[in-house]
């Protein structure tokens, strides 16, 4: 139960279920920072965690528990295209400030009903846009085939609809750069066969493919394209980006040299606003503390806690949830993930994270993420040239 003297940061984290690995970065950061958080106005700041169990129903219950049982003053979450919006929606309903991250802001807004976006008063998100993904991918396409056709492997769900959207989505930014997009046709996830999509790829002679598929579906598509005698020179993917260690997808896509978006690396030139920890320091601590390679969401997870503490410290009354929400709305803070500004985003509850381009390279131990374009964050050095698969 909440003590009257403390302030509580609540977190909904997938510790079990299909999203469990996606919860690792936030769980690590919370464990690392919780004992170190400075007091606010003489009140100690504590952290309370609930497992979403990778399920939106359980995630909503977790928020209720944090609000009622722990007296959480603010709630944090990340990961899960169904779980994250469930957390944000129940926070909005309960009037509990919430900060989230990890998927494009258009998906955050549209998934929760775009007609309601002006009514989000308690929930805040930081990430990139689909247009930012399109811009970074187009830079990579230009390195191999300027102006050439690009086959688009998009599902028939929310991701696919947003990618196709002529104003809010991926299409407008890519077309503006002179690229011809070939929609290979929608499909339901998970997919066993991609025969129609492979045939359209052949018909339009597109040797670059872009996708928002899951790792498993992208691996299946790539395998079936090779079996049909097609050899995509490059695949750019916005979902198979932070967790290539998934064994089957990693093995099947090793030859594809997947290009992806990069939002955080140990080379990013930012420090924690809490204690000055650098991006390199955090990556090292994660690797030595867990035995696993650093992951891109690690920087965003750390920034979540930084933003939460900053909102508590900046609120007129850190015990009042409304005052904390107001502090979030005016937050401008440089974090270990870079500068975040909720006063100048595309909507009042969004702060943008810049993207650069990367490519996964197979190694003896798995995969290595290299930086191949850095227009948006030139301080991050390019570490390798973009290499086509064939």
């Amino acid at each position: 139960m909440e003590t009257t003297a403390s302030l509580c940061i609540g977190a909904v984290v997938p510790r079990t279920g299909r999203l469990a690995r996606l919860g690792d970065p936030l769980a690590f950061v919370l464990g690392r920072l919780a004992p170190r958080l400075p007091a606010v106005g003489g009140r100690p700041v504590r952290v309370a965690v609930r497992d979403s169990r990778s399920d939106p129903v359980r995630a909503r219950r977790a928020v209720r528990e944090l609000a009622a049982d722990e007296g959480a003053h603010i709630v944090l979450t990340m990961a899960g295209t169904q779980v994250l919006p469930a957390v944000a929606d129940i926070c909005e309903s309960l009037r509990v400030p919430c900060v989230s991250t990890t998927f494009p802001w258009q998906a955050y807004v549209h998934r929760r009903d775009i007609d309601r976006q002006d009514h989000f008063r308690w929930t805040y998100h930081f990430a990139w846009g689909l247009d930012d993904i399109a811009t970074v991918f187009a830079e990579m396409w230009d390195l191999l085939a300027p102006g050439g056709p690009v086959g688009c492997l998009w599902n028939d769900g929310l991701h696919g609809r947003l990618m196709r959207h002529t104003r809010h989505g991926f299409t407008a930014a890519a077309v503006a750069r002179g690229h011809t997009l070939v929609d290979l046709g929608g499909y339901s996830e998970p997919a066993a066969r991609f025969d129609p999509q492979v045939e359209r790829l052949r018909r339009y002679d597109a040797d670059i493919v872009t996708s928002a598929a899951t790792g498993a579906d992208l691996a299946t598509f790539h395998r079936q394209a090779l079996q049909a005698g097609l050899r995509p020179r490059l695949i750019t993917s916005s979902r198979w980006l932070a967790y290539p260690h998934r064994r089957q997808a990693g093995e099947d896509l090793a030859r594809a040299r997947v290009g992806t978006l990069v939002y955080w690396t140990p080379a990013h030139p930012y420090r924690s606003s809490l204690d000055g920890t650098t991006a390199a320091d955090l990556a090292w601590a994660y690797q030595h503390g867990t035995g696993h390679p650093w992951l891109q969401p690690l920087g965003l997870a750390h920034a979540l806690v930084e933003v939460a503490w900053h909102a508590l410290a900046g609120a007129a009354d850190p015990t009042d949830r409304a005052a904390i929400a107001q502090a979030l709305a005016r937050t401008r803070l440089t974090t270990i993930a870079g500068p975040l500004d909720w006063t100048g985003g595309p909507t009042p509850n969004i702060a943008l994270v810049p993207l650069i381009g990367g490519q996964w390279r197979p190694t003896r131990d798995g995969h290595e993420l290299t930086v191949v374009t850095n227009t948006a964050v030139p301080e991050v050095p390019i570490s390798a040239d973009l290499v086509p698969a064939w």
Side-chain angles (χ1 to χ4, degrees), residues 107-125:
Y108 175 85
V109 171
H110 287 241
R111 175 65 178 79
R112 303 175 60 201
D113 184 355
I114 192 170
D115 294 333
R116 292 175 50 221
Q117 66 173 294
D118 290 336
H119 303 290
F120 296 161
R121 294 290 181 264
W122 301 86
T123 49
Y124 295 82
H125 186 75

Side-chain angles (χ1 to χ4, degrees), residues 202-273:
R202 182 197 306 279
R203 187 187 317 161
Y204 285 92
D205 194 28
D207 61 2
I208 292 179
V209 174
T210 195
S211 177
T214 64
D217 282 348
L218 186 58
T220 299
F221 169 82
H222 184 248
R223 184 171 59 252
Q224 292 173 9
L226 295 182
Q227 290 169 351
L230 303 180
R231 293 186 171 187
R233 297 183 68 210
L234 177 66
I235 295 175
T236 54
S237 174
S238 56
R239 270 170 90 181
W240 192 78
L241 76 166
Y243 298 87
H245 54 259
R246 291 180 178 178
R247 182 173 299 277
Q248 188 59 49
E251 291 173 354
D252 288 345
L253 289 169
R255 288 180 291 176
R257 296 184 180 273
V258 175
T260 190
L261 55 95
V262 175
Y263 50 83
W264 187 85
T265 71
H268 272 62
Y270 307 122
R271 293 176 176 269
S272 164
S273 61

Side-chain angles (χ1 to χ4, degrees), residues 314-334:
D317 178 357
T319 67
D320 177 39
R321 290 169 175 164
I324 296 166
Q326 292 166 6
L328 285 172
R330 61 177 183 266
T331 291
R332 299 175 65 186
L333 179 69
T334 298

Side-chain angles (χ1 to χ4, degrees), residues 127-199:
W128 44 89
L130 295 172
D131 50 338
D132 299 313
I133 298 173
T135 297
V136 168
F137 283 2
E139 289 180 351
M140 288 191 273
W141 305 338
D142 285 342
L143 295 175
L144 295 185
V150 177
C152 302
L153 184 68
W154 296 330
N155 67 23
D156 54 11
L158 174 68
H159 276 89
R161 292 195 301 273
L162 290 175
M163 289 292 198
R164 295 179 178 91
H165 201 287
T166 56
R167 184 162 61 92
H168 299 298
F170 183 99
T171 301
V175 171
R177 293 182 63 93
H179 288 277
T180 302
L181 301 185
V182 178
D183 195 332
L184 302 180
Y187 62 94
S188 298
E189 294 182 348
R193 299 295 308 176
F194 285 97
D195 301 277
Q197 291 81 10
V198 170
E199 181 54 37

